[in-house]
């Protein structure tokens, strides 16, 4: 016999608008929008969006994208330095 467990659709205790903001930032980036443009859009959202949690979610994803790109850059630079030193 199984017992049904009811789980909330949203985890982390955030407002649904937070997740909508994160999703929109993800979609914008996935569609090819570069980080600089995302940061400009974030500035407009912070100033003009009526739902603060939406802007917070958008900002969270933009910051993650920034950290991801910085990590890739550091890894590529380290690899290039290692390859050059070994040549």
């Amino acid at each position: 016999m199984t017992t049904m467990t009811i789980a909330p659709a949203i985890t982390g205790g955030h407002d649904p608008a937070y997740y909508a903001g994160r999703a929109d930032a993800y979609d914008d980036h996935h569609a090819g929008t570069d980080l600089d443009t995302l940061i400009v859009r974030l500035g407009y959202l912070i100033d003009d969006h009526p739902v603060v949690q939406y802007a917070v979610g958008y900002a969270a994803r933009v910051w993650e994208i920034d950290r991801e790109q910085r990590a890739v850059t550091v890894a590529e630079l380290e690899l290039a330095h290692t390859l050059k030193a070994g040549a």
Side-chain angles (χ1 to χ4, degrees):
M1 182 172 155
T2 61
T3 304
M4 181 186 299
T5 303
I6 307 295
I10 297 175
T11 60
H14 293 288
D15 188 303
Y18 172 85
Y19 294 104
R22 286 184 58 86
D24 285 347
Y26 174 86
D27 290 343
D28 289 346
H29 181 65
H30 193 68
T33 306
D34 64 346
L35 182 62
D36 292 333
T37 304
L38 291 174
I39 292 169
V40 170
R41 288 181 184 172
L42 175 59
Y44 287 124
L45 287 173
I46 289 170
D47 290 339
D48 297 331
H49 203 279
V51 181
V52 173
Q53 289 300 320
Y54 179 89
V56 170
Y58 198 96
R61 183 61 193 135
V62 169
W63 291 332
E64 286 175 4
I65 292 167
D66 179 50
R67 287 192 304 267
E68 290 167 1
Q69 289 183 359
R70 288 175 188 266
V72 168
T73 301
V74 168
E76 288 174 348
L77 286 171
E78 186 173 329
L79 177 63
H81 178 71
T82 302
L83 291 176
K84 184 176 180 181

